[in-house]
Amino acid sequence: MIDIINSISGLLWGHILIYLLIAAGLFFTVKLKFIQFVQFPHMIKVMFNSRQCDKNGISSFQAFCTSLAARVGTGNMAGVAVALYLGGAGAIFWMWLIALIGMATSFAESTLAQAYKTRDEHGNFRGGPAYYMEYGLGKRWMGVIFSLCLILAFGLVFNAVQSNSIAAAFEVAFGIPNYVVGLLLVVGSGIIIFGGLKTISRFAEMVVPFMALAYLIVALYVCAMNASELPAVFMRIINSAFGIEQAGAGAIGYGVMQAMIQGIKRGLFSNEAGMGSAANAAATATPNPPHPASQGYVQMLGVFIDTVVICTATAALILLSDQLIADSGVTGIALTQAALEEHVGSWGAIFIAIAIMFFAFTSIVANYSYAETNLLFLEHNHEHGMLIFRIAVLGMVMFGSVSELGLIWTLADISMGLMAIVNVIALFMLSGIVIWLANDYSAQRKAGKIPTFDPTQNKQLDISIPKGIWHKN
């Protein structure tokens, strides 16, 4: 069974997803006129004006924090370590690349999620790829497939990955048994999960900025202590990415492919660009300016912070140490702990354990919110069904705490790969709408106006988006 699972993962990532994700990123980068680079200052400006909301939604900043809570987690600390161990230093270059071009893909999916959002029975905004597949494409069956993949990935498998890393880190740092950590995670997650969407967004808004800043301060401190070695680390990443290090050994092709596969897999797991997950959080916001594209700008910044900033910080910690040893068996969160411990002493392992607890715990509750949105799409919103699902989520948290790392990561790779395939196909099919929304937003800015979405200006949007959200009447 394990061999079959590994074969499926290898097929998805070795022959389909790498090319599909790069193609999508390049397509939207060109069609949106290199928006992630040209409009980077505006991206920052929109973020600083994103705390406004109304009674029916959460603010763009809260949605940003919720999506960042899901993004910033195991992938940034354990995932980067796995990528380096299996793919070498060159994997980091491919993480950067997939993030930079993936920012345009993130703009596309988040903008569409805002345009096609709807309201649930409590008045909260809901949306995401399943919704724009149903309303934008008229293909509910496609939305059902995506929802099932997301529920499997984010509601179940990814939460096992997060709890696995927390338990492993606490065992290394404090010697606490995995099952004890698992039980504590189940209790903590349950309290927030049963509190609902707004509880999750408020929790993320409080915790995410603090934890990200603390981790970056420590990483910057280590980089400052080793400033003279940073140029060599950067060259090691570039050389390894293009096989220069392996050329003498005659293994250039295999080395480059391993670096590419591991970098893109772990990069996508971390920043989620093109996967369609963060779009579920984007749809819940009341955007400011009141235009779907403004939430696209906000979510692009999330991809940049997650991978180019936080993942790079982890890579620097590891590559500036002597802990990255082939075939040593030390990988995942244990490798990151060992690296920081080498730099700062014994408190390094403890700091990583605490950081991964915050990172991964917020990911668990944000992942659940994504799954809940897609359960509502499938119309499984009755109390008993939701209760059963919540119990299943908490069960996977416990399962991940006591399970073997490799199998869980492979299952995560497969589930997120299936999600990404369905979502990217939908993005290509709706690319005309994405481009129109981006151009409409830009045209209003150039005219000195605050961008405001009027769906009647586009016939396809006017007849396809849910009524009562963007229409004035």
Side-chain angles (χ1 to χ4, degrees), residues 173-246:
F174 306 108
I176 300 175
N178 291 351
Y179 71 89
V180 174
V181 177
L183 289 173
L184 293 174
L185 286 174
V186 167
V187 173
S189 301
I191 291 172
I192 298 173
I193 284 172
F194 280 90
L197 178 64
K198 291 188 177 181
T199 301
I200 291 171
S201 64
R202 286 194 295 269
F203 177 77
E205 183 181 25
M206 290 188 295
V207 174
V208 171
F210 165 76
M211 69 182 189
L213 183 61
Y215 185 64
L216 288 175
I217 288 173
V218 172
L220 288 172
Y221 171 72
V222 170
C223 289
M225 289 195 311
N226 299 276
S228 61
E229 298 178 40
L230 287 175
V233 167
F234 180 78
M235 291 307 301
R236 181 181 175 187
I237 291 171
I238 300 300
N239 291 340
S240 180
F242 294 98
I244 297 173
E245 286 187 347
Q246 301 96 330

Coordinates of all heavy atoms in Angstrom, one line a residue, residues 173-246:
A173 N 12.4 18.7 22.5 CA 12.8 19.8 23.4 C 12.5 19.5 24.9 O 13.3 19.9 25.7 CB 12.0 21.1 23.0
F174 N 11.4 18.8 25.1 CA 11.0 18.6 26.5 C 10.8 17.2 27.0 O 10.6 16.9 28.1 CB 9.6 19.3 26.8 CG 9.6 20.8 26.4 CD1 8.9 21.2 25.3 CD2 10.3 21.7 27.1 CE1 8.9 22.5 24.9 CE2 10.3 23.0 26.8 CZ 9.6 23.5 25.7
G175 N 10.9 16.2 26.0 CA 10.8 14.8 26.3 C 9.3 14.4 26.7 O 9.1 13.4 27.3
I176 N 8.4 15.3 26.2 CA 7.0 15.0 26.5 C 6.5 13.9 25.5 O 6.7 14.1 24.3 CB 6.1 16.2 26.3 CG1 6.6 17.3 27.3 CG2 4.6 15.9 26.6 CD1 5.9 18.6 27.2
P177 N 5.8 12.8 25.9 CA 5.4 11.8 25.0 C 4.4 12.4 23.9 O 3.6 13.3 24.2 CB 4.6 10.8 25.9 CG 5.2 11.0 27.2 CD 5.6 12.5 27.3
N178 N 4.4 11.8 22.7 CA 3.6 12.3 21.6 C 2.1 12.3 22.0 O 1.4 13.2 21.6 CB 3.9 11.5 20.4 CG 5.3 11.7 19.8 OD1 6.0 12.6 20.2 ND2 5.7 10.9 18.8
Y179 N 1.7 11.2 22.6 CA 0.2 11.1 22.9 C -0.2 12.2 23.8 O -1.4 12.6 23.7 CB -0.1 9.7 23.4 CG 0.3 9.4 24.8 CD1 -0.5 9.7 25.9 CD2 1.6 8.8 25.0 CE1 -0.1 9.4 27.1 CE2 2.0 8.5 26.3 CZ 1.2 8.8 27.4 OH 1.6 8.6 28.7
V180 N 0.6 12.6 24.7 CA 0.2 13.7 25.7 C 0.0 15.0 24.9 O -0.9 15.7 25.1 CB 1.3 13.8 26.8 CG1 0.9 15.1 27.7 CG2 1.3 12.6 27.6
V181 N 1.0 15.3 24.0 CA 0.9 16.5 23.2 C -0.4 16.4 22.3 O -1.1 17.4 22.2 CB 2.2 16.7 22.3 CG1 2.0 17.9 21.4 CG2 3.4 16.8 23.2
G182 N -0.6 15.2 21.8 CA -1.8 15.1 20.9 C -3.1 15.4 21.7 O -4.0 16.1 21.2
L183 N -3.2 14.9 22.9 CA -4.4 15.1 23.7 C -4.6 16.6 24.0 O -5.7 17.2 23.9 CB -4.3 14.3 25.0 CG -4.5 12.8 24.9 CD1 -4.2 12.2 26.2 CD2 -5.9 12.5 24.4
L184 N -3.5 17.3 24.3 CA -3.6 18.8 24.6 C -4.0 19.5 23.3 O -4.8 20.5 23.4 CB -2.2 19.3 25.1 CG -1.8 18.7 26.4 CD1 -0.4 19.2 26.8 CD2 -2.8 19.2 27.5
L185 N -3.5 19.1 22.1 CA -3.8 19.7 20.9 C -5.3 19.5 20.6 O -6.0 20.4 20.1 CB -3.0 19.2 19.7 CG -1.5 19.6 19.7 CD1 -0.8 18.9 18.6 CD2 -1.4 21.1 19.4
V186 N -5.8 18.3 20.8 CA -7.2 18.1 20.6 C -8.1 19.0 21.4 O -9.1 19.6 20.9 CB -7.5 16.6 20.9 CG1 -9.0 16.3 21.0 CG2 -6.9 15.7 19.9
V187 N -7.8 19.2 22.7 CA -8.5 20.0 23.6 C -8.5 21.5 23.1 O -9.5 22.1 22.9 CB -8.0 19.9 25.0 CG1 -8.7 21.0 25.9 CG2 -8.3 18.5 25.6
G188 N -7.3 22.0 22.8 CA -7.1 23.4 22.4 C -7.8 23.6 21.1 O -8.5 24.6 20.9
S189 N -7.6 22.7 20.1 CA -8.3 22.9 18.8 C -9.8 22.8 18.9 O -10.5 23.6 18.2 CB -7.8 21.8 17.8 OG -6.4 21.8 17.7
G190 N -10.3 21.9 19.7 CA -11.7 21.8 19.9 C -12.4 23.0 20.4 O -13.4 23.5 19.9
I191 N -11.7 23.7 21.3 CA -12.3 24.9 21.9 C -12.5 26.0 20.8 O -13.5 26.7 20.8 CB -11.4 25.5 23.0 CG1 -11.4 24.5 24.2 CG2 -11.8 26.9 23.5 CD1 -10.4 24.9 25.3
I192 N -11.5 26.2 20.0 CA -11.6 27.2 18.9 C -12.5 26.8 17.8 O -13.3 27.5 17.3 CB -10.2 27.6 18.4 CG1 -9.3 28.1 19.6 CG2 -10.2 28.6 17.3 CD1 -7.9 28.3 19.3
I193 N -12.4 25.5 17.3 CA -13.1 25.0 16.2 C -14.6 25.1 16.5 O -15.4 25.5 15.7 CB -12.8 23.6 15.9 CG1 -11.4 23.5 15.2 CG2 -13.8 22.9 15.1 CD1 -10.9 22.1 15.0
F194 N -15.0 24.8 17.7 CA -16.5 24.9 18.1 C -16.9 26.3 18.3 O -18.1 26.6 18.4 CB -16.7 24.0 19.3 CG -16.9 22.6 19.1 CD1 -15.7 21.7 19.1 CD2 -18.1 22.0 18.7 CE1 -15.9 20.4 18.8 CE2 -18.2 20.7 18.4 CZ -17.1 19.8 18.5
G195 N -16.0 27.3 18.3 CA -16.4 28.7 18.4 C -16.8 29.3 17.1 O -17.4 30.4 17.1
G196 N -16.6 28.7 16.0 CA -17.0 29.2 14.7 C -16.0 30.1 13.9 O -14.9 30.4 14.4
L197 N -16.4 30.5 12.7 CA -15.5 31.2 11.8 C -15.0 32.5 12.4 O -13.8 32.8 12.3 CB -16.3 31.6 10.5 CG -15.5 32.4 9.5 CD1 -14.4 31.6 8.9 CD2 -16.5 32.7 8.3
K198 N -15.8 33.3 13.1 CA -15.3 34.6 13.6 C -14.3 34.4 14.7 O -13.4 35.2 14.9 CB -16.5 35.5 14.0 CG -17.2 36.0 12.7 CD -18.3 37.1 13.1 CE -19.0 37.6 11.8 NZ -20.0 38.6 12.1
T199 N -14.5 33.4 15.5 CA -13.6 33.0 16.6 C -12.2 32.7 16.0 O -11.2 33.1 16.5 CB -14.1 31.9 17.4 OG1 -15.4 32.2 18.0 CG2 -13.1 31.5 18.6
I200 N -12.3 31.9 14.9 CA -11.0 31.5 14.3 C -10.3 32.7 13.7 O -9.1 32.9 13.9 CB -11.3 30.5 13.1 CG1 -11.8 29.2 13.7 CG2 -10.1 30.3 12.2 CD1 -12.3 28.2 12.7
S201 N -11.0 33.6 13.1 CA -10.4 34.8 12.5 C -9.8 35.8 13.5 O -8.7 36.3 13.4 CB -11.4 35.6 11.6 OG -12.5 36.1 12.3
R202 N -10.5 35.9 14.6 CA -10.0 36.8 15.7 C -8.8 36.1 16.4 O -7.8 36.8 16.7 CB -11.1 37.0 16.8 CG -12.2 37.9 16.4 CD -13.0 38.4 17.6 NE -13.8 37.2 18.2 CZ -15.0 36.9 17.8 NH1 -15.6 37.6 16.9 NH2 -15.6 35.8 18.4
F203 N -8.8 34.8 16.5 CA -7.6 34.1 17.1 C -6.4 34.3 16.2 O -5.3 34.6 16.6 CB -8.0 32.6 17.3 CG -6.8 31.8 17.8 CD1 -6.4 31.8 19.1 CD2 -6.1 31.0 16.9 CE1 -5.4 31.0 19.6 CE2 -5.1 30.2 17.3 CZ -4.7 30.2 18.7
A204 N -6.6 34.1 14.9 CA -5.5 34.3 13.9 C -5.0 35.7 13.9 O -3.8 35.9 13.8 CB -6.0 33.9 12.5
E205 N -5.9 36.7 14.0 CA -5.5 38.1 14.0 C -4.5 38.4 15.1 O -3.6 39.2 15.0 CB -6.7 39.0 14.0 CG -6.4 40.5 13.9 CD -7.6 41.3 13.9 OE1 -8.6 40.9 14.5 OE2 -7.6 42.5 13.4
M206 N -4.8 37.8 16.3 CA -4.0 38.1 17.5 C -2.6 37.3 17.4 O -1.6 37.9 17.8 CB -4.8 37.6 18.7 CG -6.0 38.5 19.1 SD -6.7 38.1 20.7 CE -7.3 36.4 20.4
V207 N -2.7 36.1 17.0 CA -1.5 35.2 17.1 C -0.5 35.3 16.0 O 0.7 35.4 16.2 CB -1.9 33.7 17.3 CG1 -0.7 32.8 17.4 CG2 -2.7 33.6 18.6
V208 N -1.0 35.3 14.7 CA -0.1 35.2 13.6 C 0.9 36.3 13.5 O 2.1 36.0 13.3 CB -1.0 35.1 12.3 CG1 -0.1 35.2 11.0 CG2 -1.7 33.8 12.2
P209 N 0.6 37.6 13.6 CA 1.6 38.6 13.4 C 2.7 38.5 14.5 O 3.9 38.7 14.2 CB 0.8 40.0 13.6 CG -0.5 39.6 13.2 CD -0.8 38.2 13.7
F210 N 2.3 38.2 15.7 CA 3.2 38.0 16.8 C 4.2 36.9 16.6 O 5.4 37.0 16.7 CB 2.5 37.8 18.1 CG 3.4 37.3 19.3 CD1 4.2 38.1 19.9 CD2 3.3 35.9 19.6 CE1 5.0 37.6 21.0 CE2 4.1 35.5 20.6 CZ 5.0 36.3 21.3
M211 N 3.7 35.7 16.2 CA 4.6 34.6 16.1 C 5.5 34.7 14.9 O 6.7 34.3 14.9 CB 3.7 33.3 15.9 CG 3.0 33.1 14.7 SD 2.0 31.6 14.6 CE 1.4 31.6 12.9
A212 N 5.0 35.3 13.8 CA 5.9 35.5 12.6 C 7.0 36.4 12.9 O 8.2 36.2 12.5 CB 5.0 36.0 11.4
L213 N 6.7 37.5 13.6 CA 7.7 38.5 13.9 C 8.8 37.9 14.9 O 10.0 38.2 14.7 CB 7.1 39.7 14.6 CG 8.0 40.9 14.9 CD1 8.6 41.4 13.6 CD2 7.2 42.0 15.6
A214 N 8.4 37.2 15.9 CA 9.3 36.6 16.8 C 10.3 35.6 16.1 O 11.5 35.7 16.3 CB 8.6 35.9 17.9
Y215 N 9.7 34.8 15.2 CA 10.6 33.9 14.5 C 11.6 34.6 13.6 O 12.7 34.2 13.5 CB 9.7 32.9 13.7 CG 10.4 31.8 13.0 CD1 11.1 30.9 13.7 CD2 10.5 31.7 11.6 CE1 11.8 29.8 13.0 CE2 11.2 30.7 10.9 CZ 11.8 29.8 11.7 OH 12.5 28.8 11.0
L216 N 11.1 35.6 12.9 CA 12.0 36.4 12.0 C 13.1 37.1 12.8 O 14.2 37.2 12.3 CB 11.2 37.4 11.2 CG 10.3 36.8 10.1 CD1 9.4 37.9 9.4 CD2 11.1 36.1 9.0
I217 N 12.8 37.6 13.9 CA 13.8 38.3 14.7 C 14.9 37.3 15.1 O 16.1 37.7 15.0 CB 13.2 38.9 16.0 CG1 12.3 40.1 15.7 CG2 14.3 39.3 17.0 CD1 11.5 40.7 16.8
V218 N 14.6 36.1 15.5 CA 15.6 35.1 15.8 C 16.4 34.8 14.6 O 17.7 34.7 14.6 CB 14.9 33.9 16.4 CG1 16.0 32.7 16.6 CG2 14.3 34.2 17.8
A219 N 15.7 34.6 13.4 CA 16.4 34.2 12.2 C 17.4 35.4 11.8 O 18.5 35.1 11.3 CB 15.4 33.9 11.1
L220 N 16.9 36.6 11.9 CA 17.8 37.8 11.5 C 19.0 37.8 12.5 O 20.1 38.2 12.0 CB 17.0 39.0 11.6 CG 15.9 39.2 10.5 CD1 15.1 40.5 10.7 CD2 16.7 39.4 9.1
Y221 N 18.8 37.5 13.7 CA 19.9 37.5 14.7 C 21.0 36.5 14.3 O 22.2 36.8 14.3 CB 19.4 37.2 16.1 CG 20.5 36.9 17.1 CD1 21.2 37.9 17.6 CD2 20.7 35.6 17.6 CE1 22.2 37.7 18.5 CE2 21.7 35.4 18.5 CZ 22.4 36.4 19.0 OH 23.4 36.2 19.9
V222 N 20.5 35.3 13.9 CA 21.5 34.3 13.4 C 22.2 34.7 12.1 O 23.4 34.5 12.0 CB 20.7 32.9 13.2 CG1 21.6 31.9 12.5 CG2 20.2 32.4 14.5
C223 N 21.4 35.3 11.2 CA 22.0 35.8 10.0 C 23.1 36.9 10.2 O 24.1 36.9 9.6 CB 21.0 36.3 9.0 SG 19.9 35.0 8.3
A224 N 22.8 37.8 11.2 CA 23.7 38.8 11.5 C 25.0 38.3 12.1 O 26.1 38.8 11.8 CB 23.1 39.8 12.5
M225 N 24.9 37.2 12.9 CA 26.0 36.6 13.5 C 26.9 35.9 12.5 O 28.1 35.7 12.7 CB 25.6 35.5 14.6 CG 25.0 36.1 15.8 SD 25.0 34.8 17.1 CE 24.2 33.4 16.3
N226 N 26.3 35.5 11.4 CA 27.0 34.8 10.3 C 27.0 35.5 9.0 O 26.9 35.0 7.9 CB 26.4 33.4 10.1 CG 26.4 32.5 11.3 OD1 27.4 31.9 11.6 ND2 25.3 32.6 12.1
A227 N 27.0 36.9 9.1 CA 26.8 37.7 7.9 C 27.9 37.4 6.8 O 27.6 37.4 5.6 CB 26.9 39.2 8.3
S228 N 29.1 37.1 7.2 CA 30.2 36.9 6.2 C 29.9 35.6 5.4 O 30.5 35.4 4.3 CB 31.5 36.8 7.0 OG 31.5 35.7 7.9
E229 N 29.1 34.7 5.9 CA 28.8 33.4 5.2 C 27.6 33.5 4.3 O 27.4 32.5 3.6 CB 28.7 32.3 6.3 CG 29.9 32.1 7.1 CD 29.6 31.0 8.2 OE1 29.0 30.0 7.8 OE2 30.1 31.1 9.3
L230 N 26.8 34.5 4.4 CA 25.6 34.6 3.6 C 25.8 34.6 2.1 O 25.1 33.9 1.4 CB 24.8 35.8 4.0 CG 24.1 35.8 5.4 CD1 23.5 37.1 5.8 CD2 23.1 34.7 5.5
P231 N 26.8 35.3 1.6 CA 27.0 35.2 0.1 C 27.3 33.7 -0.3 O 26.8 33.3 -1.4 CB 28.2 36.1 -0.1 CG 28.2 37.1 1.0 CD 27.7 36.3 2.2
A232 N 28.1 33.0 0.5 CA 28.4 31.6 0.1 C 27.1 30.7 0.1 O 26.9 29.9 -0.7 CB 29.4 31.0 1.1
V233 N 26.2 31.0 1.1 CA 25.0 30.3 1.2 C 24.1 30.6 0.0 O 23.5 29.6 -0.6 CB 24.2 30.7 2.5 CG1 22.8 30.2 2.4 CG2 24.9 30.1 3.7
F234 N 24.0 31.8 -0.4 CA 23.3 32.2 -1.6 C 23.8 31.5 -2.8 O 23.0 31.0 -3.7 CB 23.3 33.7 -1.8 CG 22.5 34.2 -3.0 CD1 21.1 34.3 -2.9 CD2 23.1 34.6 -4.1 CE1 20.4 34.7 -4.0 CE2 22.4 35.0 -5.2 CZ 21.0 35.1 -5.2
M235 N 25.1 31.5 -3.0 CA 25.7 30.9 -4.2 C 25.5 29.3 -4.2 O 25.3 28.7 -5.2 CB 27.2 31.2 -4.2 CG 27.5 32.6 -4.6 SD 26.7 33.2 -6.1 CE 27.4 32.0 -7.3
R236 N 25.5 28.8 -3.0 CA 25.2 27.3 -2.8 C 23.8 27.0 -3.3 O 23.6 26.0 -4.0 CB 25.4 26.9 -1.4 CG 25.2 25.4 -1.1 CD 25.4 25.1 0.4 NE 25.0 23.7 0.6 CZ 25.0 23.2 1.9 NH1 25.3 24.0 2.9 NH2 24.7 22.0 2.1
I237 N 22.9 27.9 -3.0 CA 21.5 27.7 -3.4 C 21.4 27.7 -5.0 O 20.8 26.9 -5.6 CB 20.6 28.7 -2.8 CG1 20.4 28.4 -1.3 CG2 19.2 28.7 -3.5 CD1 19.7 29.6 -0.5
I238 N 22.0 28.7 -5.5 CA 21.9 28.9 -7.0 C 22.7 27.8 -7.7 O 22.1 27.2 -8.7 CB 22.6 30.3 -7.4 CG1 21.8 31.4 -6.8 CG2 22.6 30.4 -8.9 CD1 20.3 31.5 -7.1
N239 N 23.9 27.4 -7.3 CA 24.6 26.4 -7.9 C 23.9 25.0 -7.8 O 23.9 24.3 -8.8 CB 26.0 26.3 -7.2 CG 26.9 27.4 -7.5 OD1 26.7 28.2 -8.5 ND2 27.9 27.7 -6.7
S240 N 23.4 24.7 -6.7 CA 22.6 23.5 -6.5 C 21.4 23.4 -7.4 O 21.0 22.4 -7.9 CB 22.3 23.3 -5.0 OG 21.6 22.1 -4.9
A241 N 20.7 24.6 -7.5 CA 19.5 24.6 -8.3 C 19.7 24.3 -9.7 O 18.8 23.7 -10.4 CB 18.8 26.0 -8.2
F242 N 20.8 24.6 -10.3 CA 21.1 24.4 -11.7 C 22.1 23.3 -11.9 O 22.6 23.1 -13.0 CB 21.5 25.7 -12.3 CG 20.5 26.7 -12.4 CD1 20.4 27.7 -11.4 CD2 19.5 26.7 -13.3 CE1 19.4 28.7 -11.4 CE2 18.5 27.6 -13.3 CZ 18.4 28.6 -12.4
G243 N 22.4 22.5 -10.9 CA 23.2 21.3 -11.0 C 24.7 21.5 -11.1 O 25.4 20.6 -11.5
I244 N 25.1 22.8 -10.8 CA 26.6 23.0 -10.9 C 27.4 22.2 -9.9 O 28.5 21.7 -10.2 CB 26.8 24.6 -10.7 CG1 26.1 25.3 -11.8 CG2 28.3 24.9 -10.7 CD1 26.2 26.8 -11.7
E245 N 26.8 22.1 -8.7 CA 27.5 21.3 -7.7 C 27.6 19.8 -8.1 O 28.6 19.1 -7.8 CB 26.8 21.4 -6.4 CG 26.9 22.7 -5.7 CD 26.3 22.7 -4.3 OE1 25.6 21.7 -4.0 OE2 26.6 23.6 -3.5
Q246 N 26.6 19.3 -8.8 CA 26.6 17.9 -9.2 C 27.3 17.6 -10.5 O 27.4 16.4 -10.8 CB 25.1 17.4 -9.2 CG 24.3 17.6 -8.0 CD 23.5 18.9 -8.0 OE1 23.9 19.9 -8.6 NE2 22.4 18.9 -7.3

